[in-house]
PDB file of all heavy atoms in Angstrom:
ATOM      1  N   ALA A  44     -69.616 -68.041 -32.037  1.00 48.00           N
ATOM      2  CA  ALA A  44     -68.771 -67.502 -33.087  1.00 48.00           C
ATOM      3  C   ALA A  44     -68.561 -66.086 -32.753  1.00 48.00           C
ATOM      4  O   ALA A  44     -67.404 -65.532 -32.855  1.00 48.00           O
ATOM      5  CB  ALA A  44     -69.434 -67.682 -34.427  1.00 48.00           C
ATOM      6  N   PHE A  51     -60.959 -62.581 -29.874  1.00 52.00           N
ATOM      7  CA  PHE A  51     -59.841 -62.435 -30.838  1.00 52.00           C
ATOM      8  C   PHE A  51     -59.452 -60.924 -30.998  1.00 52.00           C
ATOM      9  O   PHE A  51     -58.328 -60.625 -30.946  1.00 52.00           O
ATOM     10  CB  PHE A  51     -60.178 -63.046 -32.155  1.00 52.00           C
ATOM     11  CG  PHE A  51     -59.188 -62.850 -33.231  1.00 52.00           C
ATOM     12  CD1 PHE A  51     -58.052 -63.664 -33.222  1.00 52.00           C
ATOM     13  CD2 PHE A  51     -59.357 -61.846 -34.166  1.00 52.00           C
ATOM     14  CE1 PHE A  51     -57.093 -63.423 -34.149  1.00 52.00           C
ATOM     15  CE2 PHE A  51     -58.339 -61.659 -35.127  1.00 52.00           C
ATOM     16  CZ  PHE A  51     -57.203 -62.445 -35.159  1.00 52.00           C
ATOM     17  N   GLY A  59     -51.221 -55.607 -29.272  1.00 49.00           N
ATOM     18  CA  GLY A  59     -50.716 -54.462 -29.962  1.00 49.00           C
ATOM     19  C   GLY A  59     -50.256 -53.351 -28.966  1.00 49.00           C
ATOM     20  O   GLY A  59     -49.278 -52.651 -29.151  1.00 49.00           O
ATOM     21  N   TYR A  80     -25.754 -30.764 -36.161  1.00 86.00           N
ATOM     22  CA  TYR A  80     -25.452 -29.736 -35.137  1.00 86.00           C
ATOM     23  C   TYR A  80     -24.059 -29.893 -34.526  1.00 86.00           C
ATOM     24  O   TYR A  80     -23.587 -30.983 -34.398  1.00 86.00           O
ATOM     25  CB  TYR A  80     -26.484 -29.858 -33.967  1.00 86.00           C
ATOM     26  CG  TYR A  80     -27.928 -29.896 -34.374  1.00 86.00           C
ATOM     27  CD1 TYR A  80     -28.591 -31.121 -34.397  1.00 86.00           C
ATOM     28  CD2 TYR A  80     -28.605 -28.774 -34.782  1.00 86.00           C
ATOM     29  CE1 TYR A  80     -29.955 -31.146 -34.795  1.00 86.00           C
ATOM     30  CE2 TYR A  80     -29.893 -28.825 -35.183  1.00 86.00           C
ATOM     31  CZ  TYR A  80     -30.583 -29.998 -35.178  1.00 86.00           C
ATOM     32  OH  TYR A  80     -31.893 -30.059 -35.616  1.00 86.00           O
ATOM     33  N   ILE A 103     -17.151 -24.357 -42.620  1.00 92.00           N
ATOM     34  CA  ILE A 103     -17.444 -23.093 -41.917  1.00 92.00           C
ATOM     35  C   ILE A 103     -18.022 -23.315 -40.570  1.00 92.00           C
ATOM     36  O   ILE A 103     -17.735 -22.648 -39.560  1.00 92.00           O
ATOM     37  CB  ILE A 103     -18.312 -22.203 -42.807  1.00 92.00           C
ATOM     38  CG1 ILE A 103     -17.619 -21.719 -44.022  1.00 92.00           C
ATOM     39  CG2 ILE A 103     -19.013 -21.048 -42.028  1.00 92.00           C
ATOM     40  CD1 ILE A 103     -18.421 -20.826 -44.901  1.00 92.00           C
ATOM     41  N   ASP A 114     -14.756 -16.610 -28.143  1.00 95.00           N
ATOM     42  CA  ASP A 114     -14.834 -15.145 -28.221  1.00 95.00           C
ATOM     43  C   ASP A 114     -15.198 -14.546 -26.859  1.00 95.00           C
ATOM     44  O   ASP A 114     -16.202 -15.079 -26.231  1.00 95.00           O
ATOM     45  CB  ASP A 114     -15.812 -14.769 -29.303  1.00 95.00           C
ATOM     46  CG  ASP A 114     -15.852 -13.280 -29.487  1.00 95.00           C
ATOM     47  OD1 ASP A 114     -14.960 -12.683 -30.237  1.00 95.00           O
ATOM     48  OD2 ASP A 114     -16.812 -12.595 -28.917  1.00 95.00           O
ATOM     49  N   VAL A 144     -32.693 -18.209 -35.504  1.00 91.00           N
ATOM     50  CA  VAL A 144     -31.222 -18.063 -35.418  1.00 91.00           C
ATOM     51  C   VAL A 144     -30.773 -16.677 -35.135  1.00 91.00           C
ATOM     52  O   VAL A 144     -31.472 -15.738 -35.453  1.00 91.00           O
ATOM     53  CB  VAL A 144     -30.593 -18.624 -36.740  1.00 91.00           C
ATOM     54  CG1 VAL A 144     -30.777 -20.125 -36.930  1.00 91.00           C
ATOM     55  CG2 VAL A 144     -31.089 -17.890 -37.931  1.00 91.00           C
ATOM     56  N   VAL A 149     -26.474 -17.093 -45.586  1.00 88.00           N
ATOM     57  CA  VAL A 149     -27.419 -17.436 -46.617  1.00 88.00           C
ATOM     58  C   VAL A 149     -27.306 -16.423 -47.782  1.00 88.00           C
ATOM     59  O   VAL A 149     -26.618 -15.443 -47.651  1.00 88.00           O
ATOM     60  CB  VAL A 149     -28.885 -17.512 -46.100  1.00 88.00           C
ATOM     61  CG1 VAL A 149     -29.061 -18.645 -45.084  1.00 88.00           C
ATOM     62  CG2 VAL A 149     -29.288 -16.183 -45.415  1.00 88.00           C
ATOM     63  N   VAL A 154     -33.466 -14.125 -47.303  1.00 84.00           N
ATOM     64  CA  VAL A 154     -33.910 -13.226 -46.200  1.00 84.00           C
ATOM     65  C   VAL A 154     -34.956 -12.281 -46.681  1.00 84.00           C
ATOM     66  O   VAL A 154     -35.932 -12.007 -46.053  1.00 84.00           O
ATOM     67  CB  VAL A 154     -32.628 -12.304 -45.686  1.00 84.00           C
ATOM     68  CG1 VAL A 154     -33.131 -11.286 -44.734  1.00 84.00           C
ATOM     69  CG2 VAL A 154     -31.722 -13.299 -45.077  1.00 84.00           C
ATOM     70  N   ALA A 176     -21.525 -18.235 -63.252  1.00 88.00           N
ATOM     71  CA  ALA A 176     -21.702 -19.627 -63.330  1.00 88.00           C
ATOM     72  C   ALA A 176     -21.273 -20.101 -64.704  1.00 88.00           C
ATOM     73  O   ALA A 176     -21.580 -19.490 -65.718  1.00 88.00           O
ATOM     74  CB  ALA A 176     -23.119 -20.020 -63.052  1.00 88.00           C
ATOM     75  N   SER A 205     -24.874 -24.706 -51.722  1.00 44.00           N
ATOM     76  CA  SER A 205     -24.993 -23.388 -52.435  1.00 44.00           C
ATOM     77  C   SER A 205     -26.408 -23.074 -52.741  1.00 44.00           C
ATOM     78  O   SER A 205     -27.104 -23.926 -53.335  1.00 44.00           O
ATOM     79  CB  SER A 205     -24.157 -23.383 -53.610  1.00 44.00           C
ATOM     80  OG  SER A 205     -24.365 -22.132 -54.364  1.00 44.00           O
ATOM     81  N   LEU A 219     -33.854 -25.166 -72.638  1.00 89.00           N
ATOM     82  CA  LEU A 219     -33.406 -25.855 -73.718  1.00 89.00           C
ATOM     83  C   LEU A 219     -34.307 -27.078 -74.065  1.00 89.00           C
ATOM     84  O   LEU A 219     -34.039 -27.896 -74.986  1.00 89.00           O
ATOM     85  CB  LEU A 219     -31.914 -26.325 -73.718  1.00 89.00           C
ATOM     86  CG  LEU A 219     -30.919 -25.174 -73.735  1.00 89.00           C
ATOM     87  CD1 LEU A 219     -29.549 -25.753 -73.478  1.00 89.00           C
ATOM     88  CD2 LEU A 219     -30.938 -24.450 -75.058  1.00 89.00           C
ATOM     89  N   VAL A 226     -31.139 -36.100 -69.616  1.00 87.00           N
ATOM     90  CA  VAL A 226     -29.752 -35.671 -69.295  1.00 87.00           C
ATOM     91  C   VAL A 226     -29.392 -36.322 -67.948  1.00 87.00           C
ATOM     92  O   VAL A 226     -30.277 -36.320 -66.957  1.00 87.00           O
ATOM     93  CB  VAL A 226     -29.699 -34.176 -69.115  1.00 87.00           C
ATOM     94  CG1 VAL A 226     -28.264 -33.793 -68.582  1.00 87.00           C
ATOM     95  CG2 VAL A 226     -29.926 -33.461 -70.446  1.00 87.00           C
ATOM     96  N   ILE A 228     -27.908 -36.231 -64.608  1.00 90.00           N
ATOM     97  CA  ILE A 228     -27.432 -35.280 -63.601  1.00 90.00           C
ATOM     98  C   ILE A 228     -26.933 -35.956 -62.363  1.00 90.00           C
ATOM     99  O   ILE A 228     -27.633 -36.733 -61.739  1.00 90.00           O
ATOM    100  CB  ILE A 228     -28.550 -34.186 -63.270  1.00 90.00           C
ATOM    101  CG1 ILE A 228     -29.094 -33.434 -64.490  1.00 90.00           C
ATOM    102  CG2 ILE A 228     -28.095 -33.262 -62.133  1.00 90.00           C
ATOM    103  CD1 ILE A 228     -30.123 -32.474 -64.177  1.00 90.00           C
ATOM    104  N   LEU A 237     -16.732 -31.707 -57.646  1.00 91.00           N
ATOM    105  CA  LEU A 237     -17.035 -31.544 -58.997  1.00 91.00           C
ATOM    106  C   LEU A 237     -15.815 -31.598 -59.934  1.00 91.00           C
ATOM    107  O   LEU A 237     -15.817 -32.373 -60.891  1.00 91.00           O
ATOM    108  CB  LEU A 237     -17.822 -30.168 -59.213  1.00 91.00           C
ATOM    109  CG  LEU A 237     -19.243 -30.067 -58.773  1.00 91.00           C
ATOM    110  CD1 LEU A 237     -19.773 -28.626 -58.874  1.00 91.00           C
ATOM    111  CD2 LEU A 237     -20.084 -30.942 -59.707  1.00 91.00           C
ATOM    112  N   ASP A 245     -15.416 -39.102 -64.714  1.00 95.00           N
ATOM    113  CA  ASP A 245     -16.685 -39.673 -64.222  1.00 95.00           C
ATOM    114  C   ASP A 245     -17.929 -38.885 -64.766  1.00 95.00           C
ATOM    115  O   ASP A 245     -19.033 -39.481 -64.907  1.00 95.00           O
ATOM    116  CB  ASP A 245     -16.794 -39.629 -62.676  1.00 95.00           C
ATOM    117  CG  ASP A 245     -15.676 -40.506 -62.069  1.00 95.00           C
ATOM    118  OD1 ASP A 245     -15.301 -41.474 -62.704  1.00 95.00           O
ATOM    119  OD2 ASP A 245     -15.262 -40.247 -60.925  1.00 95.00           O
ATOM    120  N   MET A 276     -22.992 -15.508 -51.073  1.00 89.00           N
ATOM    121  CA  MET A 276     -23.437 -15.808 -49.686  1.00 89.00           C
ATOM    122  C   MET A 276     -23.214 -14.548 -48.860  1.00 89.00           C
ATOM    123  O   MET A 276     -22.208 -13.928 -48.972  1.00 89.00           O
ATOM    124  CB  MET A 276     -22.718 -16.977 -49.179  1.00 89.00           C
ATOM    125  CG  MET A 276     -22.799 -18.292 -50.030  1.00 89.00           C
ATOM    126  SD  MET A 276     -24.509 -18.866 -50.067  1.00 89.00           S
ATOM    127  CE  MET A 276     -24.659 -19.639 -48.463  1.00 89.00           C
ATOM    128  N   GLN A 277     -24.073 -14.312 -47.854  1.00 93.00           N
ATOM    129  CA  GLN A 277     -24.086 -13.238 -47.003  1.00 93.00           C
ATOM    130  C   GLN A 277     -24.318 -13.635 -45.572  1.00 93.00           C
ATOM    131  O   GLN A 277     -25.161 -14.522 -45.296  1.00 93.00           O
ATOM    132  CB  GLN A 277     -25.010 -12.134 -47.494  1.00 93.00           C
ATOM    133  CG  GLN A 277     -24.724 -11.642 -48.907  1.00 93.00           C
ATOM    134  CD  GLN A 277     -25.657 -10.554 -49.357  1.00 93.00           C
ATOM    135  OE1 GLN A 277     -26.578 -10.143 -48.686  1.00 93.00           O
ATOM    136  NE2 GLN A 277     -25.386 -10.096 -50.525  1.00 93.00           N
ATOM    137  N   CYS A 291     -19.593  -6.282 -33.599  1.00 96.00           N
ATOM    138  CA  CYS A 291     -18.175  -6.171 -33.910  1.00 96.00           C
ATOM    139  C   CYS A 291     -17.489  -7.552 -33.603  1.00 96.00           C
ATOM    140  O   CYS A 291     -16.618  -7.866 -34.391  1.00 96.00           O
ATOM    141  CB  CYS A 291     -17.521  -5.130 -33.010  1.00 96.00           C
ATOM    142  SG  CYS A 291     -18.134  -3.467 -33.493  1.00 96.00           S
ATOM    143  N   SER A 303      -9.259 -18.233 -43.051  1.00 93.00           N
ATOM    144  CA  SER A 303      -8.832 -19.605 -42.836  1.00 93.00           C
ATOM    145  C   SER A 303      -9.378 -20.622 -43.745  1.00 93.00           C
ATOM    146  O   SER A 303      -8.910 -21.735 -43.729  1.00 93.00           O
ATOM    147  CB  SER A 303      -9.025 -19.985 -41.337  1.00 93.00           C
ATOM    148  OG  SER A 303      -8.472 -19.045 -40.501  1.00 93.00           O
ATOM    149  N   ILE A 312     -14.106 -11.258 -48.808  1.00 94.00           N
ATOM    150  CA  ILE A 312     -15.263 -10.930 -47.951  1.00 94.00           C
ATOM    151  C   ILE A 312     -15.256  -9.405 -47.710  1.00 94.00           C
ATOM    152  O   ILE A 312     -14.191  -8.720 -47.610  1.00 94.00           O
ATOM    153  CB  ILE A 312     -15.144 -11.657 -46.596  1.00 94.00           C
ATOM    154  CG1 ILE A 312     -16.533 -11.440 -45.825  1.00 94.00           C
ATOM    155  CG2 ILE A 312     -13.960 -11.276 -45.787  1.00 94.00           C
ATOM    156  CD1 ILE A 312     -16.675 -12.408 -44.706  1.00 94.00           C
TER     157      ILE A 312
END
Side-chain angles (χ1 to χ4, degrees):
F51 175 78
Y80 309 102
I103 288 180
D114 182 82
V144 293
V149 293
V154 174
S205 171
L219 293 173
V226 176
I228 297 177
L237 282 170
D245 296 333
M276 303 296 286
Q277 302 184 354
C291 295
S303 303
I312 190 168

